[in-house]
Amino acid sequence: MPLGTIALLLAASFSLGALPLTRWAVRVFSRRDLRALGTGNVGVSAAFLHGGKLAGIAAVLAEIARGIVPVLAGRFCFPDAPAIAIVLLIPLVAGRYAIARGGGVTNAVWGLLVFSPPVAVSSGIWGLLVWGLAQRWWGEGDRARLFASRCGCLCTPIWVWVWGQSMPEFLAATGLALLLAAINFNQGDDMALSKSEQLFSLDDSLDAAICGDKAAKLSQLKRAGFNVPAGFILPSKEEGRRKKEEGRGKKEEGRRDEENADRLLISNSVIQNLKSQIPNRMIVRSSAAGEDGDISSAAGQYQTIGPVFTEAELLDGINRCRQSYWTSEAVAYRRQRQLPDTQMAVLIQPYIDSQFAGVMFSRNPLDGGSQVIIEALPGGAEAVVGGQCTPVHLEIDFSQPELLENKLTELQSNSIIAQSILAELVKQAQAIEAFFHGIPQDIEWSWDGEKVWILQSRPITNLQPFWTRTIAAEVIPGAIRPLTWSINRPLTCGVWGEIFKVVLGDRAIGLNFNETATLLGSHAYFNATLLGEIFRMMGLPEQGLEFLLRGQKMGKPPLGKILPNLPGLWRLVQRERALNAEFKGDRSSIFLPALQSLDKEEGRRKKEEGRGSSEEEILMPNAQCPMPDYQYLTELLERAEQIQEWLKPITYYNILGPIGLAIRKAIFRVNDDWLANDSAPEIASVRALQHLAQKLRQAAFSQPDETISVADLAQTFAETPALQAEFEKWLDIYGYLSEVGTDIAVPTWREQPEIFQKLLITMAQKAETNLVEKREIGLSFLQKWRLDKCQERTLVKNQISEIYARLLAHLRWTFLEIEACGLAMEVFQESGDIFYLEFGEIQEWIRSGASVSFKDTIRERRDRLVADRDRPIPPVVYGNLLPNSQTRAIDSATSGTNILQGIPASIGRVEGFVKICRTASTDLGENAIAVVPYTDAGWAPLLLGATAIIAEVGGQLSHGAIIAREYKIPAVMNISEATTRLRNGQKVRVDGYLGTVELLE
């Protein structure tokens, strides 16, 4: 037997075992070094545990190949001496352990499988049998698994003898088995690590339930590119949780068990690993479940230890940090915040030598205003948060970016912080808030002379809930009176709650849907915090909150989160699919009879006056009180209550119908231009008025090209009874519409005929006034099929909108009758007073029959509404207090940019002069660009006369957008605070395709 060849093969096997194949695989697939993680064992199990599935699979394949190669080489070189093949596995495993820091079990198993499949299979079966017996003896756990693994190794020589009856093979297998067993006893096992001894890195994607909210948030920031120091996380001990369960019912004893569990020794390998990763000074920080969370900060409740130098100090610091979880103050805090006792993870980071440090708030923590608040002191941030020193306090207003640099220059003169660092801090604060989807952040930072380090970021917990205008501005825009809100809020919240319950099922228990909406500054806001929680429960993406707070696009939901919600979503789909049929039935059985009963009395009165009525006419009762007594008031109150009962089902259809249409349009990819909106009340009313304007023009003009004055047209109208009758009929049919269809405090068209008579004459005067005929669009067969899936829903949606608006109009007219009685009884002082009361107050007044006076209440609420109507209304409010803000106009000379970005709503490009229109009755003039706070069906006549439309709120499906596209008027929606930032007469360029408004002066 050539000894040289054997020596060469032995050396080659050792060298092959020394190659760090598994470490390379993990570094390639996860960019991590296994030597610095867990126990430091660079094995296959560690690769899966710390490197992920791909890294683990690559490591397995590499180790399989490594174990097979020596056996094949031995068999090839020495076919008559099979024992050599087993012998070659011994230096391979030795090199694997001594240099590559692996256990070599995978190599030996696959090497033996190639050498003799019966031996390998027998050893495996024997190991499984021993594992089963050990589990029955010791129970499930690492002890039974390790015992079975070692028995499997040691029994291998026996199976070699059984299947081969060869002494050389038996001796070789014995040597290999003893080596594997010795390595197994001495080497750390990552699979045997409890969670308390697994090391996680801030470079990993961390689970807050395991590593705490603080570490999880820092991990997100670090992986996103923010300057976060490196860090390693030691999760809480499993023993601590077990002891806690055992101590339940024995409060003090249980607490001592928990504290002792947290003092259990941590393996030296973990401490050595940490020290090797952070060789200089370290800081030990808490990262408990619920600390730095969305609803609780636990600020100052747990101990931070640093700087620590030695391994002994590090171990002591970890134990002290964990013990702080069970101090009486920390336990009392969790009880007060209703937080469960769970676990304490520990975060170990390099200690930053700070020249100065502090905390900053991305928004004013008092009212959520547009100020970054910075507090700083020389040295570490703990001096600021400790509250024992008065830090430098800076407030930097970022609401006007063009003035930010000047503000920083002013602040720098009175600060220890240079202007460039201040600018960087403001930039970081805004970037971190944006990263966390617009949630205001409390940020701990440090400056080491070279860069700003982010040490901690958590939500500003007192700025909750978040309130958004993103949806509310469309549902009920403008300043809202108390009566409107007291009726609309329960209707809207109730319907949304019903829809969410369909999807969430039992998970909706505990959610207070009455908190879905509120009034702030007399304007409606939706609860973004509650809706964000609902979105997460429904499996929608994290961008859902950003959609609510910033109007950003909603991302695609992850499939894994959607699957658990499929039953609920399917129930909602079934509701949506049945909507057309259900509405058709309710329309015939509930809504039409209800409207007919409401119209009946007024129709009889008009017939007595000699004026005919048709089924299409919507008639307004007299705002008079024929019998000002409490019996008649009670009848009116009961009518108002009945109308609200009818409003409940139509509100459901009015919310679910548009949602279903939007989903259908997205699924079937139907363009807005394909849909016929002729039946939409805002479109049909304008077209009918245009028809009448043409008739007036023909009656007044002898020649088509002749021009005539407004006075002559007015005279022609006054002298033509047929035109007056047609105009009166138009008011009867469409008189239920108003400037804001959802606000019963806003007068209906029927109540202000003079405005629309003037509009009729203006339309007739314009020679270019032409009817917009229905457009014929050439569609393919497939496109027509897709359109059919949406067109019927469009028609149904328009019918729903009409019934909803008609019922609200009748509700308004009923309250006007109640007010007329109140005026006669001197309960009210002037018209419109009733809308400053809540519905409950009206019920109490009428049912009590007592003599009351609401004079002071109404005056106070009226003054508040007037003030709120003119103040800028922020799109997002943090907490329950509107921030103090100043009305400002954009001045092109000082603005950092002269282009405002909104949502494109109707294509076209127009230059012109701004006309601020706060109400639909504003005199627009000629060739003006209308700037409106919102758009509703009632704005249609005004918008028709604009050369372009700029709206503060709204999207491509808003009423203004539909009207603009129908009449080819360029329009841009969602220009925040446009009515206060722009000014009358200012020249602008509106681009409805790009969604921009450019300031030209």
Side-chain angles (χ1 to χ4, degrees), residues 781-822:
F781 174 80
L782 180 60
Q783 288 174 328
K784 289 180 180 178
W785 177 83
R786 286 155 45 195
L787 175 60
D788 288 341
K789 301 299 179 183
C790 300
Q791 187 60 62
E792 183 182 1
R793 174 53 57 83
T794 302
L795 298 176
V796 170
K797 182 180 78 73
N798 292 336
Q799 291 175 347
I800 292 170
S801 298
E802 179 185 347
I803 292 174
Y804 181 71
R806 288 175 64 180
L807 284 173
L808 283 177
H810 278 290
L811 184 60
R812 170 181 167 80
W813 295 332
T814 301
F815 282 123
L816 289 179
E817 289 191 68
I818 294 175
E819 183 182 63
C821 294

Side-chain angles (χ1 to χ4, degrees), residues 210-410:
I210 296 175
C211 297
D213 288 283
K214 178 188 292 182
K217 286 183 170 64
L218 286 176
S219 167
Q220 293 178 43
L221 290 173
K222 193 172 193 304
R223 289 181 295 114
F226 290 92
N227 291 331
V228 175
F232 298 90
I233 302 91
L234 199 60
S236 70
K237 289 182 177 292
E238 293 292 336
E239 292 87 347
R241 288 199 294 275
R242 178 174 57 79
K243 288 283 187 179
K244 182 184 69 177
E245 294 296 327
E246 293 174 353
R248 185 171 293 166
K250 303 176 182 179
K251 187 173 180 181
E252 293 303 320
E253 181 181 347
R255 185 171 301 171
R256 286 194 299 271
D257 286 342
E258 289 159 343
E259 292 174 0
N260 291 334
D262 277 335
R263 292 183 63 89
L264 293 177
L265 291 177
I266 302 169
S267 66
N268 289 334
S269 61
V270 173
I271 297 298
Q272 291 168 1
N273 249 339
L274 287 168
K275 188 60 181 173
S276 65
Q277 289 298 310
I278 311 175
N280 299 317
R281 293 186 297 172
M282 292 172 283
I283 187 167
V284 179
R285 310 174 67 196
S286 63
S287 183
E291 182 182 8
D292 294 349
D294 292 339
I295 60 173
S296 60
S297 66
Q301 297 299 320
Y302 309 125
Q303 194 169 0
T304 297
I305 296 94
V308 297
F309 298 85
T310 65
E311 293 180 6
E313 290 177 347
L314 175 59
L315 178 60
D316 179 66
I318 292 172
N319 282 327
R320 287 166 55 197
C321 183
R322 281 179 166 166
Q323 290 168 34
S324 69
Y325 188 78
W326 300 108
T327 62
S328 58
E329 295 84 358
V331 172
Y333 175 85
R334 292 196 296 275
R335 298 290 181 272
Q336 191 271 332
R337 301 292 293 181
Q338 296 183 343
L339 297 173
D341 293 334
T342 53
Q343 51 184 318
M344 164 76 84
V346 178
L347 171 64
I348 299 96
Q349 292 180 283
Y351 186 86
I352 304 295
D353 284 316
S354 304
Q355 292 188 8
F356 47 84
V359 295
M360 59 182 173
F361 297 97
S362 63
R363 288 187 177 272
N364 192 318
L366 300 179
D367 60 9
S370 301
Q371 301 93 34
V372 172
I373 311 298
I374 298 175
E375 293 187 343
L377 281 173
E382 59 273 8
V384 176
V385 299
Q388 300 183 13
C389 302
T390 301
V392 173
H393 181 89
L394 304 174
E395 298 187 10
I396 304 168
D397 192 326
F398 59 83
S399 62
Q400 295 176 269
E402 63 274 10
L403 302 180
L404 181 58
E405 186 174 352
N406 293 336
K407 178 68 175 177
L408 293 175
T409 302
E410 295 173 7

Side-chain angles (χ1 to χ4, degrees), residues 743-755:
D743 191 347
I744 61 172
V746 176
T748 60
W749 291 4
R750 190 69 182 84
E751 299 167 54
Q752 40 191 356
E754 66 284 350
I755 293 176

